Amino acid sequence: MTTETEASADESTTTVVLAFAANALIAGAKTAAAIITGSASMVAEATHSWADTGNEILLLIANRRSKRVPDREHPLGYGREAYIWSMFAALGLFALGAGVSITHGIQELFHSEPATDFGVAYAVLGVSFILEGISFRQAYNQLRAEATAVNSDVLTQALTTSDPTTRAVFAEDAAALIGLVIAFAGVLLHQITGSPIPDALGSIFVGILLGVIAIILIDRNRRFLVGEEASPTLRGAAVKALTQLPDVNRITFLRMEYLGPRQVYLVASIDLVGDYAESRVAHTLRDLERTLERSPRVVRAILTLSTPDEPSITA
């Protein structure tokens, strides 16, 4: 039977693959429209979509490499590779998506030329909005299901989820939808006024938007690479699971740190029921650790004994 964690990981892969297919189609269409119309906003949008397409490849690598099982050289597994490759994707979005869009927009302000064939631009923007909406809906539905499970909202779950690939697709697709609206406004004002300045400003605004999104993604990946404490909901579930074990009387210390998407490293100090001999205590602790590690979320569990004077932790 597929575990809940494996199902979530498979859904994350589906989310990234769908985003890759949508962005590849959109990037090609926007590039053609940018060449035909000469619109600065369309150039920015084409750059944005190519950056997103490249990012999805990095996110697919992140998903695949982070799923590798622990081995002798990496006993805690490879989960944090997801944050490394997602960091590369965020840096690419910042450098390519934001940098090129802002630079091109500034150049158009000083060396602008009127655009033509506005109908082509509107058609491509409309189709792009539909395709981006389909991709965004997949990421949104995945985050909504996760948020419902932990009594949270979608935006909070997007910022706090341990799955960087789903967060990246959600953020990039949201930015893409907003960027399409900005590009539409820039092209429309260009057509109405006859001035290419609104179009150039649209390119700059799209670049700024991408820069903000990239910085947020970079910061979230940085936090998980440094070491992010598990959410209060997950800690509460761990305390409840520990106290329900027959040999555990109480818990005095608990540390849970994310090792990757939906993977944690658990360290706890517990007070065992009764007063066992030293050899029996060691065997009991090892048995309890193996019990905890049966959960697909717990990569490694380390249990130590509490002293009588340490305060208890409750769920």
Side-chain angles (χ1 to χ4, degrees):
M1 180 183 290
T2 302
T3 67
E4 178 184 354
T5 297
E6 291 171 339
S8 298
D10 290 341
E11 188 173 6
S12 296
T13 301
T14 300
T15 298
V16 177
V17 170
L18 181 60
F20 171 78
N23 281 315
L25 291 172
I26 292 169
K30 286 179 179 177
T31 300
I35 294 172
I36 294 171
T37 64
S39 165
S41 292
M42 290 307 301
V43 172
E45 280 298 307
T47 302
H48 175 191
S49 293
W50 282 119
D52 282 353
T53 303
N55 287 347
E56 309 313 337
I57 296 176
L58 294 175
L59 295 178
L60 286 172
I61 294 173
N63 263 343
R64 181 173 181 177
R65 293 183 68 87
S66 65
K67 292 178 183 177
R68 289 184 295 171
V69 298
D71 53 33
R72 183 174 180 179
E73 293 184 353
H74 297 85
L76 297 181
Y78 294 82
R80 284 197 171 113
E81 283 225 37
Y83 306 120
I84 295 174
W85 290 95
S86 296
M87 176 79 83
F88 290 158
L91 290 170
L93 181 65
F94 184 82
L96 183 59
V100 173
S101 296
I102 293 174
T103 300
H104 182 73
I106 293 174
Q107 290 173 343
E108 286 294 314
L109 284 176
F110 296 100
H111 306 285
S112 57
E113 295 182 3
T116 58
D117 297 307
F118 293 102
V120 174
Y122 294 139
V124 170
L125 288 173
V127 172
S128 298
F129 195 89
I130 293 173
L131 293 176
E132 290 285 7
I134 293 173
S135 177
F136 177 77
R137 182 178 180 182
Q138 168 67 23
Y140 178 87
N141 286 341
Q142 182 179 348
L143 285 171
R144 183 177 63 180
E146 295 175 3
T148 301
V150 296
N151 296 319
S152 182
D153 59 85
V154 173
L155 183 58
T156 300
Q157 183 64 17
L159 291 172
T160 60
T161 179
S162 62
D163 184 349
T165 57
T166 302
R167 173 173 38 251
V169 172
F170 176 83
E172 290 173 4
D173 285 348
L177 292 172
I178 297 172
L180 288 169
V181 174
I182 294 173
F184 174 81
V187 173
L188 180 63
L189 289 173
H190 188 164
Q191 182 180 18
I192 293 174
T193 64
S195 171
I197 292 178
D199 199 8
L201 290 175
S203 178
I204 294 173
F205 290 150
V206 168
I208 293 173
L209 173 66
L210 297 181
V212 171
I213 294 297
I215 290 172
I216 293 174
L217 293 177
I218 289 170
D219 180 66
R220 291 308 301 157
N221 285 300
R222 177 190 64 81
R223 290 175 179 270
F224 278 96
L225 282 172
V226 171
E228 184 89 344
E229 176 76 3
S231 67
T233 301
L234 192 55
R235 281 179 56 85
V239 171
K240 183 176 180 181
L242 277 168
T243 53
Q244 287 179 344
L245 294 174
D247 292 309
V248 177
N249 182 36
R250 64 194 184 98
I251 309 163
T252 61
F253 172 82
L254 177 65
R255 170 67 179 174
M256 295 178 68
E257 183 177 307
Y258 286 110
L259 294 176
R262 292 168 291 275
Q263 300 175 6
V264 295
Y265 180 40
L266 186 151
V267 179
S269 294
I270 61 174
D271 181 20
L272 296 176
V273 174
D275 189 11
Y276 297 156
E278 182 177 348
S279 59
R280 184 177 177 185
V281 168
H283 285 296
T284 301
L285 289 178
R286 297 297 86 78
D287 291 341
L288 291 173
E289 289 169 355
R290 301 296 86 80
T291 299
L292 292 171
E293 289 169 0
R294 292 194 188 109
S295 169
R297 290 182 179 273
V298 181
V299 177
R300 186 71 185 274
I302 301 294
L303 299 180
T304 62
L305 292 179
S306 304
T307 60
D309 60 327
E310 291 178 303
S312 301
I313 294 177
T314 58

